[in-house]
Amino acid sequence: MPKKKDKKKSKSKRGERIDPAKLAELKKKRKFRKYYFRGVEVEKLLDLPHGELLKLVTSRARRRFRRGLKEKPKGFIQRLRKAKKACAGSIKKPKIIKTHLRSMIIVPEMVASQIGVYNGRGYILVEVKPDMIGHYLGEYAITYKPVGHGRPGAGSTGSSRFIPL
């Protein structure tokens, strides 16, 4: 039996060609990924009452918020609000707020803000994303320089002490 020739679709090097009208329609349909924190959308987290938000976080964070925020964390959150309000209408990112509060738990209100977290030597820029809610600021500012293991130097083993004359 003779082989039948398959009809080939017009393909370019990048894949199948799509007409511009179809492409525009696909772009309209395209939706960005929605972020969820423990099953609740991040936009809805901002509207949740304090008690409902506490039910979603870990027990350590729950205990911390129940005992109340001290003066420094309150002032830090107020500075974040002020920076976000200053750039609310524009596309610009908010001003970087520097802090030493590594133990501050990231709340939904902090999302999309820029924070300079002190690591003992300098400030590390942290852009708060929805995935970070419930974590500590210090988790995103490493305090040490990771070791890059290279070749062993002199004195690494007993045999390296012997130097022939």
Side-chain angles (χ1 to χ4, degrees):
M1 271 179 26
K3 292 183 180 177
K4 293 182 180 178
K5 291 183 181 178
D6 293 328
K7 291 182 181 178
K8 290 187 178 180
K9 292 181 182 177
S10 60
K11 279 192 172 183
S12 65
K13 289 182 181 178
R14 294 185 197 140
E16 224 173 285
R17 291 185 187 161
I18 301 173
D19 61 316
K22 222 177 199 181
L23 187 67
E25 188 179 314
L26 284 171
K27 282 187 180 179
K28 284 181 186 176
K29 285 185 181 178
R30 187 181 301 158
K31 292 181 181 176
F32 293 104
R33 179 178 168 219
K34 288 187 178 181
Y35 289 97
Y36 290 92
F37 176 73
R38 310 253 169 126
V40 181
E41 279 186 47
V42 175
E43 286 78 28
K44 291 181 182 175
L45 282 176
L46 292 168
D47 301 331
L48 277 180
H50 186 69
E52 293 295 315
L53 180 64
L54 285 182
K55 288 179 183 175
L56 296 174
V57 294
T58 59
S59 60
R60 169 52 49 193
R62 206 173 309 130
R63 175 182 163 84
R64 176 100 180 270
F65 287 122
R66 280 215 179 106
R67 292 174 67 89
L69 285 176
K70 305 291 184 253
E71 206 163 311
K72 287 201 176 189
K74 277 184 185 175
F76 172 66
I77 289 178
Q78 286 174 347
R79 288 192 334 220
L80 280 176
R81 283 181 190 148
K82 188 177 177 184
K84 279 181 105 174
K85 196 180 283 186
C87 72
S90 65
I91 303 170
K92 289 182 180 179
K93 290 182 179 179
K95 194 176 110 185
I96 298 168
I97 305 297
K98 292 181 178 180
T99 184
H100 281 238
L101 300 170
R102 297 175 57 82
S103 61
M104 183 71 192
I105 297 168
I106 296 172
V107 291
E109 194 175 0
M110 293 181 187
V111 172
S113 57
Q114 293 187 315
I115 303 170
V117 183
Y118 192 68
N119 71 345
R121 211 171 43 195
Y123 292 92
I124 307 296
L125 178 66
V126 175
E127 288 188 46
V128 182
K129 295 186 172 56
D131 301 342
M132 299 179 179
I133 295 172
H135 292 268
Y136 291 96
L137 282 176
E139 292 180 45
Y140 301 100
I142 194 165
T143 58
Y144 61 91
K145 185 179 177 187
V147 179
H149 293 284
R151 295 179 54 95
S156 61
T157 60
S159 63
S160 66
R161 286 189 209 137
F162 175 72
I163 303 170
L165 295 172

